[in-house]
Every structure is written in C-alpha cells, then in structure tokens.
Amino acid sequence: MKKILLLIPILLFNFTCQVFGEEGPIIVIPEESYSVEGKLMNLELSENGGVITVNGVAGKYGRVFLTYNMKTNPNFKTQGSFTGRGMGIDDTGNREFAVRAGIWRREGTTLTLHSFDDLTDGIQNICKSVLNLTTGEFKMTFHSI
C-alpha cells in the first residue's frame, strides 16, 4: 500500500518519471503513450457518487466499454475515488477485460480520472482520463507498465 501511495502524486503530473523507494526504482513510467477517444454513454447518480459508463475505440482492443463506480470524498465534493471495469471486443470477437481503480477530481464541467488498470492479457496500465460533462466527450491516455 505504501508503494501505491507513492505513485499517486505522479498521476497528477506527466508520466515521464520514476518513483524511488528504499531499494531503488519501484516503477518506471514510459514516455510512450496511447489514447482512446470516445463518448459518455450513461451517468447515474447516487447519494455517495454514481456510475459513469463511456465507450470508444482502443486500437487492438477494438470497441471498449469502461465503467467508473464513483465515490465522493465526504470532505471535498469535487473529488473522490472509483473502482471499475473495462471490456474490449475486437473485430474478430476476441474479448479482454480490465479491473480498474483510481481517483478523480472535477473542475467546473471537466472530470479528470487517474487509474491503474490490470488487463486479462497481462498488460497493466496507468491511465489519465478526461470527461467533459457538458459535451460527453471522453479521452483517455494510457501508459503500459
């Protein structure tokens, strides 16, 4: 858990740095990144947050669907945490899943989400997603680690 907490500040900056622990680098975040653009499909509100679903096209994963189970920080209504799932289906019918967890912050009508994703094909990603709540436009940039 201590190592994960050390990674969170990186998500607020560019992804081109290293995190060091007592025994050297914990993780090196590659400079190379990939992007997915998509749209908001659904937003459901609850007393403690809500659920957001988006979709887009993500290269080899084909059409992807992402769910964010949002929780509001009780002390700061414009930020919180989330868990979620992802699923991609390519043109051949191959399907991959992801487990997702992270933090979010809202500034005006822009929601920014930072996550760690663990995919069924063995790839792990650090992601930054931006959702415009006015237009429904969604963009996710991810780095494989």
Side-chain angles (χ1 to χ4, degrees):
M1 183 66 170
K2 181 179 177 183
K3 290 180 182 180
I4 290 175
L5 291 176
L6 289 172
L7 289 174
I8 291 174
I10 289 175
L11 296 175
L12 301 175
F13 301 101
N14 291 329
F15 291 105
T16 59
C17 59
Q18 296 182 20
V19 177
F20 289 90
E22 296 170 6
E23 299 155 11
I26 298 170
I27 190 168
V28 177
I29 301 171
E31 292 184 27
E32 186 175 13
S33 65
Y34 305 92
S35 294
V36 174
E37 292 186 18
K39 285 290 221 173
L40 173 68
M41 292 176 55
N42 191 40
L43 188 146
E44 294 181 34
L45 301 175
S46 69
E47 288 184 28
N48 298 324
V51 178
I52 294 174
T53 307
V54 298
N55 79 54
V57 176
K60 71 177 185 176
Y61 296 108
R63 174 74 51 192
V64 293
F65 301 89
L66 305 167
T67 300
Y68 298 87
N69 299 302
M70 313 288 285
K71 227 177 158 176
T72 303
N73 180 324
N75 297 318
F76 299 95
K77 298 297 182 188
T78 59
Q79 68 185 49
S81 61
F82 69 89
T83 59
R85 306 285 278 167
M87 180 187 72
I89 300 177
D90 67 19
D91 292 339
T92 66
N94 183 50
R95 181 176 63 170
E96 299 289 348
F97 290 97
V99 176
R100 317 183 77 228
I103 57 174
W104 63 270
R105 174 173 298 217
R106 182 182 56 80
E107 293 181 38
T109 61
T110 301
L111 191 61
T112 303
L113 307 105
H114 296 94
S115 67
F116 293 102
D117 296 0
D118 185 24
L119 286 78
T120 54
D121 64 0
I123 294 176
Q124 294 180 318
N125 294 317
I126 295 176
C127 305
K128 177 181 179 182
S129 303
V130 178
L131 174 62
N132 182 316
L133 295 169
T134 302
T135 65
E137 298 291 324
F138 172 80
K139 183 173 183 180
M140 180 173 74
T141 304
F142 58 95
H143 303 265
S144 296
I145 53 175

